[in-house]
Amino acid sequence: MDISLFARHTDYEWEIAPHGAMRVPAVIYADEALIRAMDHKVYEQVCNVATLPGIVKASYAMPDAHWGYGFPIGGVAAFDPEEGGVVSAGGVGFDISCGVRCLHTGLNSEDVIAVQKSLADTLYREIPAGLGSTGAIRLNQYEMDAMLTGGAAWAVKRGYGNAADLEHIEEQGQMRGARPDCVSEHAKKRQRDEMGTLGSGNHYLEVQKVVKVFDVKVANVFGIRENDVVVSIHCGSRGLGHQIGTEFLKEMVIAASGYGIMLPDRELACAPINSPLGEDYLGAMRAAINCALANRQILTHLVRDAFAQVLPKARLPLLYDVSHNTCKIEEHVVDGKPRKLYVHRKGATRAFGPGHPDIPSALRSVGQPVLIGGSMGTGSYILVGAREGEALSFSSACHGAGRAMSRHQAYKTWKGRQVIDELAARGILIRSPSGRGVAEEAPGAYKDVSAVVDAADAAGLARKVARLEPLVCIKG
């Protein structure tokens, strides 16, 4: 990307002044190398978002930003319903509430390496993964609606995990305001057999070693030390979320002109928050959030069962679960006044700073865990929300490495077996039903996650706590 298009405020904050139909500036947080490497479409999309009615302060993009559907992936925007603000299905994304949860194990790397192959095989056997994967759970109409209303709390009531888990999940595991009646029967049908499955694409389950602690004080509160082993689960709302996104985008495109909304790109389809269509989408989206939370909760139960078979001394309490494809009502201070805003995060992670009431009480003194997934073989990070992030980006941070090339390009560049063998030589065991899926998610297809995290830290969006490296990866 051409950096002459930006006003450079700091080494990590780049602003695009309002022009054309833009109502507010656009801001990208990244270092110069990351900015230069971004596709020009990121510039176009972050500017297009700034044209939407009711947008507040600025249209933001995180250090891992790349081209997406309507909004850039890594995009953040907040809207005020009192100023005609909109909700955008493209601003949430298709995989609604895709997110990451991290579990302690109480083990060290030596414990796992001693049984690494057996653990990899057991996890692969117990965790359904891959395109169209189905689980052992079959939901009838009553249970489907109960799950869409209850989220992880529904799963716990049915024996998947325990009540202590809920304290360490966004919204305590249950998104209020969900409306299963706004979810189509086709969307529900797609999800009926998919609960407790990883799916495909960039979703994964990893057993990871803590290789470096950057902030000992915060790490102690999080219960993390070097050489500890944790488990990270990255997945979302599967077919149900994708179907909701697809259906409402079509409706919003047709309805936009009737609401007086001129779209610079049809992929930015949206509706006023205070409109029947906007309210219906929010109800369906919240149901999809609950689907994702329930799905990760069931996967947690399956992971605990798998560990019990191989490493019975393991204990797997939940550190945290946070989503990165959502629209949430949050209170933020704008021009010195608190305002209730609808904050869209698409491929961006909520990152509340110390003291925020929505952080679990055991972690509140230091801030919210921010879980940053890398790509296979490149490591991941645990960060913590920073107080200054409230003013910078509505308490938002990056969500991962961000793609550097398309899946098609990656598939043409690597073969799945090649990637699996290269990672095995480094002590990382991959289990996947799809060689093509592995090739598409090859480490080289992504940006340098360390550079992305360093930029987020330096910009003040969130602070580095620990770096993780994979030992086992179950890949869809």
Side-chain angles (χ1 to χ4, degrees):
M1 197 187 306
D2 183 359
I3 63 170
S4 68
L5 298 169
F6 298 86
R8 184 174 187 166
H9 293 317
T10 71
D11 287 344
Y12 299 93
E13 182 178 350
W14 307 72
E15 182 176 307
I16 306 161
H19 60 274
M22 291 173 65
R23 301 168 188 263
V24 294
V27 175
I28 301 179
Y29 292 105
D31 63 23
E32 184 172 329
L34 288 168
I35 287 280
R36 289 185 180 276
M38 289 179 188
D39 191 291
H40 186 73
K41 285 185 177 292
V42 174
Y43 173 91
E44 293 176 0
Q45 290 189 320
V46 77
C47 290
N48 284 343
V49 172
T51 70
L52 295 178
I55 189 169
V56 175
K57 285 183 67 175
S59 165
Y60 297 101
M62 300 294 103
D64 54 338
H66 55 102
W67 173 82
Y69 191 97
F71 277 53
I73 296 172
V76 175
F79 298 86
D80 190 336
E82 301 305 315
E83 296 182 357
V86 297
V87 60
S88 170
V92 172
F94 289 98
D95 193 3
I96 298 168
S97 196
C98 184
V100 182
R101 71 166 45 190
C102 184
L103 304 162
H104 299 284
T105 67
L107 305 172
N108 58 44
S109 63
E110 290 78 17
D111 295 325
V112 170
I113 290 170
V115 293
Q116 188 177 10
K117 183 179 183 301
S118 177
L119 180 61
D121 292 341
T122 303
L123 285 167
Y124 184 54
R125 184 179 67 246
E126 299 295 331
I127 308 296
L131 184 65
S133 54
T134 59
I137 300 170
R138 303 288 183 270
L139 298 183
N140 59 29
Q141 183 174 341
Y142 173 83
E143 282 295 288
M144 174 65 69
D145 287 354
M147 179 273 292
L148 295 176
T149 303
W154 166 88
V156 168
K157 286 180 181 177
R158 280 148 185 81
Y160 302 107
N162 54 69
D165 293 334
L166 301 178
E167 174 66 17
H168 289 256
I169 304 173
E170 271 189 299
E171 315 298 337
Q172 291 74 54
Q174 182 179 15
M175 186 72 210
R176 301 320 195 262
R179 290 178 54 194
D181 60 297
C182 294
V183 179
S184 72
E185 288 305 311
H186 184 43
K188 293 177 182 179
K189 182 179 179 181
R190 289 187 64 179
Q191 194 61 27
R192 189 156 287 128
D193 301 335
E194 291 190 348
M195 296 306 297
T197 65
L198 271 180
S200 58
N202 63 347
H203 296 164
Y204 61 79
L205 182 151
E206 282 192 351
V207 181
Q208 301 164 322
K209 171 186 174 181
V210 179
V211 294
K212 186 173 180 59
V213 169
F214 301 97
D215 189 320
V216 174
K217 175 187 173 183
V218 175
N220 285 340
V221 174
F222 286 0
I224 293 170
R225 297 173 299 178
E226 288 185 8
N227 204 39
D228 281 356
V229 170
V230 300
V231 178
S232 291
I233 302 170
H234 175 215
C235 66
S237 51
R238 303 288 280 113
L240 180 135
H242 196 282
Q243 190 65 34
I244 289 170
T246 299
E247 292 171 356
F248 276 94
L249 276 164
K250 290 178 181 177
E251 287 191 55
M252 288 176 174
V253 166
I254 295 169
S257 61
Y259 290 121
I261 299 171
M262 304 304 295
L263 297 173
D265 178 353
R266 62 184 284 117
E267 293 181 359
L268 280 174
C270 56
I273 293 164
N274 293 331
S275 70
L277 180 55
E279 291 172 354
D280 285 352
Y281 172 71
L282 287 167
M285 181 209 67
R286 290 165 181 156
I289 290 175
N290 282 330
C291 177
L293 296 178
N295 192 38
R296 291 197 290 274
Q297 186 64 32
I298 295 168
L299 286 168
T300 296
H301 174 79
L302 298 178
V303 168
R304 287 168 174 161
D305 278 356
F307 265 79
Q309 295 175 44
V310 182
L311 289 160
K313 72 174 185 178
R315 297 293 178 267
L316 289 104
L318 181 58
L319 168 60
Y320 202 61
D321 179 305
V322 65
S323 302
H324 51 237
N325 282 354
T326 61
C327 175
K328 298 277 190 75
I329 304 174
E330 296 172 5
E331 184 173 276
H332 291 278
V333 177
V334 180
D335 298 328
K337 297 180 181 179
R339 293 165 68 175
K340 294 284 188 181
L341 304 174
Y342 286 68
V343 182
H344 294 63
R345 297 186 180 94
K346 180 179 180 178
T349 306
R350 194 189 75 178
F352 286 152
H356 196 284
D358 287 347
I359 301 172
S361 57
L363 311 176
R364 194 171 298 154
S365 64
V366 295
Q368 176 208 302
V370 178
L371 308 174
I372 308 296
S375 59
M376 292 183 300
T378 62
S380 300
Y381 285 83
I382 297 173
L383 281 64
V384 66
R387 188 171 278 112
E388 55 266 45
E390 158 75 16
L392 292 172
S393 59
F394 297 111
S395 297
S396 307
C398 52
H399 84 304
R403 293 198 74 94
M405 66 171 67
S406 71
R407 288 187 169 88
H408 179 70
Q409 287 175 300
Y411 181 63
K412 289 175 63 178
T413 305
W414 293 280
K415 298 301 180 187
R417 175 47 57 184
Q418 169 196 358
V419 175
I420 290 170
D421 290 345
E422 288 176 355
L423 293 175
R426 293 170 45 197
I428 302 167
L429 301 186
I430 306 297
R431 297 290 185 269
S432 174
S434 170
R436 179 177 185 130
V438 171
E440 290 176 348
E441 299 299 317
Y446 283 82
K447 301 175 186 180
D448 179 356
V449 68
S450 295
V452 168
V453 167
D454 286 347
D457 182 286
L461 306 177
R463 301 302 185 197
K464 290 191 295 185
V465 178
R467 177 180 170 85
L468 317 172
E469 288 189 357
L471 297 170
V472 172
C473 179
I474 309 302
K475 179 76 191 60

